[in-house]
Amino acid sequence: NNKKPSTTTNNSKNNSNKKSKYSSKNKLPPWVRKLMIPEAKCPDCRGGGEIIDDSKSGRKICTSCGLVLENSLISEQSEWRTFADSDRSGPDPNRVGAAQHYLLQESGDLSTTIGAKGSDKLAMTMKSIGGNVSSSKLGRGIRDISSYCSRLSLPKDVQNFAGELFKELVSKKEMKGKRSIVMVATCIYIAAKQCRCDRPLKELCEEFGVDRSSVRKIHTEIHKLKSADKLTMPVVNKGKGMIRKTTAEIFAERYANELKLGVDVIKNLKRISRKVMEKGLLSGKQPSTIGAACVYLASTVHGNERERRSYKEISAVSRVSEHTISNAFKKYLFLQRKSLIPEGYGDPLRINNLTAK
Protein backbone atom coordinates (compact mmCIF):
# COMPACT_ATOMS: atom_id res chain seq x y z
CA ASN A 1 0.00 0.00 0.00
CA ASN A 2 1.38 3.35 -1.08
CA LYS A 3 0.91 6.00 1.57
CA LYS A 4 0.34 9.52 0.41
CA PRO A 5 2.33 12.16 2.29
CA SER A 6 0.30 14.54 4.31
CA THR A 7 -0.39 17.98 2.90
CA THR A 8 0.65 19.70 6.14
CA THR A 9 4.21 18.40 5.97
CA ASN A 10 4.56 19.44 2.31
CA ASN A 11 3.30 22.93 3.06
CA SER A 12 5.73 23.32 5.95
CA LYS A 13 8.65 22.20 3.76
CA ASN A 14 7.69 24.63 1.01
CA ASN A 15 7.38 27.49 3.50
CA SER A 16 10.78 26.70 5.01
CA ASN A 17 12.39 26.58 1.54
CA LYS A 18 10.83 29.93 0.65
CA LYS A 19 12.05 31.47 3.92
CA SER A 20 15.58 30.16 3.41
CA LYS A 21 15.67 31.47 -0.17
CA TYR A 22 14.29 34.85 0.94
CA SER A 23 16.75 35.10 3.81
CA SER A 24 19.71 34.09 1.63
CA LYS A 25 18.84 36.74 -0.93
CA ASN A 26 18.68 39.54 1.64
CA LYS A 27 21.58 38.26 3.75
CA LEU A 28 24.26 40.96 4.06
CA PRO A 29 27.82 40.75 5.36
CA PRO A 30 28.33 41.92 8.95
CA TRP A 31 30.51 44.89 7.90
CA VAL A 32 27.65 46.09 5.67
CA ARG A 33 25.09 45.76 8.49
CA LYS A 34 27.25 47.94 10.74
CA LEU A 35 27.14 50.71 8.15
CA MET A 36 23.38 50.60 7.62
CA ILE A 37 21.53 53.89 8.06
CA PRO A 38 18.12 53.40 9.71
CA GLU A 39 14.99 54.85 8.10
CA ALA A 40 16.74 55.82 4.85
CA LYS A 41 15.34 54.87 1.43
CA CYS A 42 16.86 55.09 -2.01
CA PRO A 43 14.96 57.48 -4.33
CA ASP A 44 15.85 55.38 -7.40
CA CYS A 45 14.76 51.86 -6.37
CA ARG A 46 12.31 53.25 -3.78
CA GLY A 47 13.38 51.28 -0.74
CA GLY A 48 14.39 48.10 -2.52
CA GLY A 49 17.79 47.96 -0.82
CA GLU A 50 19.62 49.22 2.23
CA ILE A 51 21.66 52.43 2.30
CA ILE A 52 25.11 52.24 3.84
CA ASP A 53 27.54 54.95 4.93
CA ASP A 54 31.02 54.09 3.64
CA SER A 55 33.45 56.06 5.80
CA LYS A 56 36.54 55.00 3.79
CA SER A 57 35.37 56.52 0.52
CA GLY A 58 33.14 59.15 2.13
CA ARG A 59 30.03 58.11 0.22
CA LYS A 60 26.44 57.14 0.95
CA ILE A 61 25.56 54.16 -1.32
CA CYS A 62 22.46 52.06 -2.00
CA THR A 63 23.22 48.29 -1.83
CA SER A 64 20.47 47.38 -4.30
CA CYS A 65 21.06 49.65 -7.31
CA GLY A 66 24.48 51.11 -6.42
CA LEU A 67 23.28 54.71 -6.53
CA VAL A 68 25.62 57.16 -4.79
CA LEU A 69 23.40 59.45 -2.73
CA GLU A 70 26.18 61.62 -1.27
CA ASN A 71 29.73 61.89 -2.52
CA SER A 72 31.49 63.81 0.28
CA LEU A 73 30.80 62.82 3.89
CA ILE A 74 32.58 64.10 6.98
CA SER A 75 33.77 61.39 9.35
CA GLU A 76 32.25 61.88 12.81
CA GLN A 77 34.24 59.09 14.43
CA SER A 78 36.34 59.88 17.49
CA GLU A 79 40.00 60.69 17.04
CA TRP A 80 42.86 58.91 18.76
CA ARG A 81 44.22 60.49 21.90
CA THR A 82 47.90 60.81 22.85
CA PHE A 83 49.00 61.16 26.46
CA ALA A 84 52.79 61.32 25.90
CA ASP A 85 55.20 63.07 23.55
CA SER A 86 58.06 60.61 23.84
CA ASP A 87 59.14 57.94 21.38
CA ARG A 88 58.49 55.11 23.83
CA SER A 89 54.81 54.79 22.98
CA GLY A 90 55.51 54.23 19.28
CA PRO A 91 54.15 56.26 16.37
CA ASP A 92 51.52 58.92 16.93
CA PRO A 93 48.10 57.55 15.82
CA ASN A 94 46.59 61.03 15.34
CA ARG A 95 45.43 61.81 11.80
CA VAL A 96 45.27 65.55 12.45
CA GLY A 97 46.58 67.93 15.10
CA ALA A 98 44.80 70.40 17.34
CA ALA A 99 43.35 73.61 15.96
CA GLN A 100 45.85 76.45 15.90
CA HIS A 101 45.19 79.28 18.35
CA TYR A 102 44.81 82.72 16.81
CA LEU A 103 47.27 84.22 19.30
CA LEU A 104 49.97 81.68 18.41
CA GLN A 105 49.85 82.01 14.62
CA GLU A 106 52.96 84.19 14.44
CA SER A 107 55.01 81.80 16.57
CA GLY A 108 54.11 78.48 14.99
CA ASP A 109 56.35 75.57 16.03
CA LEU A 110 58.02 74.15 12.89
CA SER A 111 61.04 72.70 14.66
CA THR A 112 62.16 69.05 14.54
CA THR A 113 62.91 67.14 17.72
CA ILE A 114 65.10 64.02 17.63
CA GLY A 115 65.02 61.44 20.38
CA ALA A 116 66.53 57.99 20.81
CA LYS A 117 64.27 55.02 21.43
CA GLY A 118 64.05 54.19 25.12
CA SER A 119 65.82 57.43 26.12
CA ASP A 120 64.78 61.09 25.92
CA LYS A 121 68.19 62.49 26.84
CA LEU A 122 68.93 63.82 23.35
CA ALA A 123 65.45 65.36 23.07
CA MET A 124 65.82 67.11 26.43
CA THR A 125 69.27 68.44 25.42
CA MET A 126 67.91 69.89 22.17
CA LYS A 127 64.99 71.42 24.03
CA SER A 128 67.27 73.13 26.53
CA ILE A 129 69.72 74.64 24.00
CA GLY A 130 67.26 75.54 21.24
CA GLY A 131 63.89 77.21 20.78
CA ASN A 132 62.49 80.60 21.60
CA VAL A 133 61.89 81.12 25.32
CA SER A 134 59.24 83.83 24.89
CA SER A 135 57.22 81.74 22.42
CA SER A 136 57.26 78.71 24.72
CA LYS A 137 56.21 80.92 27.66
CA LEU A 138 53.40 82.37 25.55
CA GLY A 139 52.18 78.91 24.57
CA ARG A 140 52.15 77.71 28.19
CA GLY A 141 50.36 80.87 29.31
CA ILE A 142 47.64 80.59 26.65
CA ARG A 143 47.02 76.95 27.61
CA ASP A 144 46.84 77.86 31.32
CA ILE A 145 44.39 80.69 30.59
CA SER A 146 42.03 78.42 28.65
CA SER A 147 42.14 75.65 31.28
CA TYR A 148 41.61 77.99 34.25
CA CYS A 149 38.83 79.92 32.50
CA SER A 150 36.95 76.70 31.83
CA ARG A 151 37.54 75.61 35.44
CA LEU A 152 36.19 78.92 36.77
CA SER A 153 33.22 78.86 34.32
CA LEU A 154 34.28 82.13 32.70
CA PRO A 155 32.98 83.06 29.21
CA LYS A 156 34.99 83.10 26.00
CA ASP A 157 35.34 86.90 26.07
CA VAL A 158 37.34 86.69 29.30
CA GLN A 159 39.60 84.03 27.82
CA ASN A 160 40.29 86.08 24.69
CA PHE A 161 40.87 89.31 26.67
CA ALA A 162 43.25 87.57 29.09
CA GLY A 163 45.13 85.88 26.23
CA GLU A 164 45.65 89.15 24.33
CA LEU A 165 46.79 90.92 27.50
CA PHE A 166 49.19 88.09 28.37
CA LYS A 167 50.68 88.23 24.86
CA GLU A 168 51.32 91.97 25.29
CA LEU A 169 52.98 91.43 28.69
CA VAL A 170 55.32 88.67 27.49
CA SER A 171 56.94 91.06 25.01
CA LYS A 172 57.66 93.73 27.69
CA LYS A 173 61.08 93.97 29.38
CA GLU A 174 59.47 94.96 32.69
CA MET A 175 57.81 91.52 32.94
CA LYS A 176 60.96 89.46 32.45
CA GLY A 177 61.64 87.10 35.32
CA LYS A 178 58.04 87.16 36.53
CA ARG A 179 56.31 83.85 37.19
CA SER A 180 54.01 82.80 34.38
CA ILE A 181 51.23 81.52 36.67
CA VAL A 182 51.10 84.86 38.55
CA MET A 183 50.86 86.75 35.25
CA VAL A 184 48.05 84.42 34.12
CA ALA A 185 46.14 84.99 37.38
CA THR A 186 46.50 88.78 37.04
CA CYS A 187 45.36 88.75 33.40
CA ILE A 188 42.28 86.67 34.22
CA TYR A 189 41.45 88.97 37.17
CA ILE A 190 41.61 92.08 34.94
CA ALA A 191 39.76 90.38 32.06
CA ALA A 192 36.91 89.20 34.31
CA LYS A 193 36.50 92.72 35.67
CA GLN A 194 36.44 94.29 32.21
CA CYS A 195 33.93 91.72 30.86
CA ARG A 196 31.43 92.26 33.73
CA CYS A 197 31.90 88.86 35.38
CA ASP A 198 34.18 89.79 38.28
CA ARG A 199 35.79 87.22 40.54
CA PRO A 200 37.16 87.96 44.03
CA LEU A 201 40.93 88.19 44.21
CA LYS A 202 40.97 85.84 47.19
CA GLU A 203 39.08 83.17 45.27
CA LEU A 204 41.38 83.46 42.24
CA CYS A 205 44.54 83.26 44.36
CA GLU A 206 43.27 80.12 46.08
CA GLU A 207 42.46 78.55 42.71
CA PHE A 208 45.87 79.41 41.22
CA GLY A 209 47.86 78.75 44.40
CA VAL A 210 49.59 82.16 44.41
CA ASP A 211 49.91 85.01 46.91
CA ARG A 212 47.70 88.08 46.70
CA SER A 213 50.72 90.35 47.17
CA SER A 214 52.43 88.99 44.03
CA VAL A 215 49.24 89.49 41.99
CA ARG A 216 48.91 93.06 43.30
CA LYS A 217 52.52 93.82 42.28
CA ILE A 218 51.94 92.73 38.67
CA HIS A 219 48.59 94.56 38.67
CA THR A 220 50.43 97.75 39.70
CA GLU A 221 53.08 97.20 37.00
CA ILE A 222 50.37 96.83 34.35
CA HIS A 223 48.77 100.14 35.38
CA LYS A 224 52.18 101.85 35.29
CA LEU A 225 52.79 100.57 31.76
CA LYS A 226 49.32 101.67 30.73
CA SER A 227 49.75 105.19 32.16
CA ALA A 228 53.13 105.51 30.39
CA ASP A 229 51.53 104.46 27.06
CA LYS A 230 53.78 101.40 26.87
CA LEU A 231 50.90 98.92 27.00
CA THR A 232 47.78 98.73 24.85
CA MET A 233 44.84 97.14 26.63
CA PRO A 234 42.47 94.91 24.61
CA VAL A 235 39.15 96.43 23.60
CA VAL A 236 35.87 95.01 24.92
CA ASN A 237 32.89 95.47 22.60
CA LYS A 238 30.05 96.83 24.74
CA GLY A 239 26.50 96.99 23.44
CA LYS A 240 24.61 100.25 23.19
CA GLY A 241 22.45 101.19 26.16
CA MET A 242 23.99 98.56 28.46
CA ILE A 243 24.23 99.50 32.15
CA ARG A 244 27.62 98.70 33.65
CA LYS A 245 27.11 96.61 36.75
CA THR A 246 29.24 97.37 39.75
CA THR A 247 31.50 94.68 41.19
CA ALA A 248 29.45 94.53 44.39
CA GLU A 249 26.25 94.03 42.38
CA ILE A 250 27.82 91.17 40.42
CA PHE A 251 29.03 89.50 43.62
CA ALA A 252 25.65 89.94 45.33
CA GLU A 253 23.81 88.36 42.40
CA ARG A 254 26.26 85.48 42.31
CA TYR A 255 25.92 84.80 46.06
CA ALA A 256 22.12 84.88 45.76
CA ASN A 257 22.18 82.31 42.95
CA GLU A 258 24.45 80.02 44.95
CA LEU A 259 22.13 80.37 47.97
CA LYS A 260 19.17 79.47 45.69
CA LEU A 261 17.16 82.58 46.49
CA GLY A 262 13.99 83.41 44.58
CA VAL A 263 13.69 85.56 41.48
CA ASP A 264 11.92 88.34 43.43
CA VAL A 265 14.75 88.48 45.99
CA ILE A 266 17.46 88.67 43.31
CA LYS A 267 15.58 91.37 41.40
CA ASN A 268 15.32 93.64 44.46
CA LEU A 269 18.82 92.70 45.62
CA LYS A 270 20.24 94.34 42.49
CA ARG A 271 18.38 97.57 43.32
CA ILE A 272 19.60 97.51 46.93
CA SER A 273 23.25 96.99 45.96
CA ARG A 274 22.98 99.75 43.32
CA LYS A 275 21.61 102.21 45.91
CA VAL A 276 24.36 101.26 48.37
CA MET A 277 27.05 102.05 45.78
CA GLU A 278 25.33 105.32 44.73
CA LYS A 279 25.16 106.58 48.32
CA GLY A 280 28.67 105.38 49.14
CA LEU A 281 27.60 103.78 52.40
CA LEU A 282 30.29 101.08 52.31
CA SER A 283 33.02 103.03 50.53
CA GLY A 284 36.44 101.54 51.15
CA LYS A 285 35.09 98.06 51.83
CA GLN A 286 35.79 95.05 49.66
CA PRO A 287 33.16 94.34 46.95
CA SER A 288 32.65 90.84 48.36
CA THR A 289 31.81 92.32 51.79
CA ILE A 290 29.35 94.81 50.25
CA GLY A 291 27.66 92.06 48.22
CA ALA A 292 27.36 89.75 51.25
CA ALA A 293 25.85 92.53 53.42
CA CYS A 294 23.32 93.37 50.69
CA VAL A 295 22.32 89.70 50.41
CA TYR A 296 21.69 89.55 54.16
CA LEU A 297 19.55 92.71 54.08
CA ALA A 298 17.49 91.55 51.08
CA SER A 299 16.88 88.08 52.51
CA THR A 300 16.22 88.99 56.15
CA VAL A 301 13.35 91.43 55.40
CA HIS A 302 11.50 88.95 53.16
CA GLY A 303 8.12 87.77 54.38
CA ASN A 304 8.79 84.11 53.56
CA GLU A 305 11.06 82.35 56.05
CA ARG A 306 12.41 80.04 53.33
CA GLU A 307 14.05 83.01 51.61
CA ARG A 308 15.95 84.14 54.71
CA ARG A 309 19.63 83.31 55.11
CA SER A 310 21.89 83.56 58.15
CA TYR A 311 25.37 85.06 58.46
CA LYS A 312 26.84 81.57 58.49
CA GLU A 313 25.22 80.53 55.20
CA ILE A 314 26.24 83.75 53.44
CA SER A 315 29.77 83.47 54.83
CA ALA A 316 30.17 79.94 53.45
CA VAL A 317 29.28 81.15 49.94
CA SER A 318 31.06 84.52 49.88
CA ARG A 319 34.17 83.42 51.84
CA VAL A 320 33.80 86.51 54.03
CA SER A 321 33.81 86.05 57.80
CA GLU A 322 30.54 86.29 59.70
CA HIS A 323 31.96 89.07 61.91
CA THR A 324 32.81 91.22 58.86
CA ILE A 325 29.32 90.79 57.34
CA SER A 326 27.56 91.59 60.62
CA ASN A 327 29.69 94.71 61.19
CA ALA A 328 29.00 95.99 57.68
CA PHE A 329 25.27 95.46 58.13
CA LYS A 330 24.99 96.92 61.65
CA LYS A 331 27.15 100.03 61.13
CA TYR A 332 26.18 101.05 57.60
CA LEU A 333 23.03 99.34 56.25
CA PHE A 334 20.82 98.88 59.31
CA LEU A 335 20.05 102.57 59.90
CA GLN A 336 19.50 103.24 56.17
CA ARG A 337 17.39 100.12 55.53
CA LYS A 338 14.12 101.97 54.82
CA SER A 339 15.70 104.12 52.12
CA LEU A 340 17.54 101.17 50.56
CA ILE A 341 14.67 98.67 50.33
CA PRO A 342 12.50 99.21 47.20
CA GLU A 343 8.81 100.05 47.62
CA GLY A 344 6.51 97.04 47.90
CA TYR A 345 9.30 94.62 48.78
CA GLY A 346 9.56 92.76 52.06
CA ASP A 347 7.35 92.58 55.13
CA PRO A 348 6.64 96.12 56.46
CA LEU A 349 6.32 94.95 60.08
CA ARG A 350 9.59 93.06 59.85
CA ILE A 351 11.36 96.06 58.32
CA ASN A 352 10.17 98.38 61.12
CA ASN A 353 10.83 95.91 63.98
CA LEU A 354 14.17 94.65 62.62
CA THR A 355 16.97 94.67 65.18
CA ALA A 356 20.73 94.77 64.62
CA LYS A 357 21.69 91.33 65.87
Side-chain angles (χ1 to χ4, degrees):
N1 296 327
N2 295 327
K3 295 182 179 179
K4 294 181 180 180
S6 61
T7 55
T8 54
T9 55
N10 291 333
N11 292 333
S12 62
K13 287 180 180 179
N14 294 331
N15 291 333
S16 62
N17 291 332
K18 288 180 181 179
K19 287 180 181 179
S20 62
K21 289 178 182 178
Y22 185 78
S23 60
S24 62
K25 285 181 181 179
N26 294 336
K27 193 173 182 180
L28 296 172
W31 66 272
V32 177
R33 291 190 174 275
K34 289 181 180 179
L35 300 174
M36 282 185 182
I37 303 172
E39 298 181 0
K41 294 182 180 181
C42 177
D44 193 11
C45 60
R46 297 181 181 179
E50 300 291 342
I51 296 175
I52 61 171
D53 188 2
D54 190 1
S55 58
K56 292 183 179 179
S57 61
R59 296 174 180 176
K60 191 180 289 185
I61 308 169
C62 176
T63 56
S64 178
C65 62
L67 179 67
V68 179
L69 301 176
E70 290 187 22
N71 196 21
S72 57
L73 292 176
I74 299 174
S75 177
E76 297 180 354
Q77 297 177 355
S78 59
E79 286 288 344
W80 291 89
R81 298 178 66 189
T82 310
F83 297 94
D85 295 331
S86 62
D87 295 332
R88 300 173 186 174
S89 58
D92 188 3
N94 283 313
R95 294 200 297 269
V96 295
Q100 191 176 14
H101 200 277
Y102 76 100
L103 293 174
L104 303 174
Q105 290 178 358
E106 298 176 359
S107 58
D109 188 13
L110 300 176
S111 60
T112 304
T113 305
I114 302 172
K117 212 167 189 180
S119 175
D120 295 336
K121 190 174 181 180
L122 181 58
M124 294 298 292
T125 306
M126 290 184 62
K127 191 175 181 181
S128 62
I129 64 176
N132 192 356
V133 179
S134 61
S135 63
S136 61
K137 186 177 181 180
L138 176 62
R140 287 197 308 271
I142 295 298
R143 287 193 295 270
D144 290 340
I145 287 171
S146 61
S147 64
Y148 278 105
C149 283
S150 61
R151 193 184 302 178
L152 293 167
S153 301
L154 292 170
K156 195 72 175 178
D157 294 340
V158 178
Q159 183 177 337
N160 295 336
F161 189 100
E164 292 175 11
L165 179 59
F166 184 81
K167 187 176 181 179
E168 288 284 335
L169 295 177
V170 167
S171 61
K172 302 300 177 184
K173 295 180 181 179
E174 290 82 0
M175 292 297 168
K176 283 188 177 180
K178 305 291 184 181
R179 289 179 60 194
S180 177
I181 190 66
V182 181
M183 293 173 63
V184 168
T186 310
C187 291
I188 291 178
Y189 175 72
I190 296 172
K193 199 167 187 178
Q194 292 293 325
C195 297
R196 300 187 294 273
C197 50
D198 306 43
R199 291 291 185 274
L201 183 59
K202 184 179 180 181
E203 179 184 341
L204 286 176
C205 291
E206 289 178 359
E207 185 69 30
F208 283 89
V210 295
D211 297 330
R212 278 184 281 181
S213 59
S214 57
V215 175
R216 287 195 186 102
K217 287 179 182 178
I218 295 182
H219 192 273
T220 307
E221 290 288 336
I222 291 172
H223 280 286
K224 286 181 180 178
L225 292 172
K226 184 183 176 183
S227 60
D229 294 333
K230 294 182 179 180
L231 179 66
T232 304
M233 296 291 286
V235 180
V236 180
N237 295 324
K238 298 179 181 179
K240 295 181 179 179
M242 293 182 66
I243 300 173
R244 174 67 169 96
K245 293 182 180 179
T246 60
T247 307
E249 185 180 348
I250 294 170
F251 286 170
E253 185 178 355
R254 182 184 169 199
Y255 300 154
N257 288 324
E258 291 184 9
L259 290 167
K260 297 181 180 180
L261 295 173
V263 179
D264 184 43
V265 180
I266 297 175
K267 181 181 177 181
N268 290 277
L269 172 62
K270 294 178 183 178
R271 298 175 182 174
I272 292 172
S273 58
R274 207 170 296 155
K275 287 183 180 180
V276 169
M277 296 305 295
E278 288 174 359
K279 293 185 177 183
L281 296 177
L282 289 167
S283 59
K285 299 291 183 181
Q286 292 290 334
S288 55
T289 304
I290 300 172
C294 292
V295 169
Y296 180 78
L297 175 61
S299 62
T300 196
V301 299
H302 201 273
N304 190 358
E305 293 184 1
R306 295 181 180 179
E307 299 292 340
R308 296 170 192 167
R309 299 294 183 269
S310 62
Y311 289 125
K312 187 176 182 180
E313 292 174 320
I314 299 172
S315 174
V317 171
S318 62
R319 298 182 182 180
V320 181
S321 65
E322 300 178 32
H323 181 70
T324 305
I325 300 172
S326 63
N327 280 344
F329 174 72
K330 293 174 185 177
K331 292 181 180 179
Y332 302 99
L333 302 186
F334 175 71
L335 297 176
Q336 300 288 334
R337 64 185 185 278
K338 292 184 179 179
S339 61
L340 294 174
I341 297 171
E343 295 182 4
Y345 175 73
D347 188 4
L349 293 176
R350 186 169 180 81
I351 295 171
N352 293 328
N353 300 328
L354 188 65
T355 56
K357 296 180 181 179

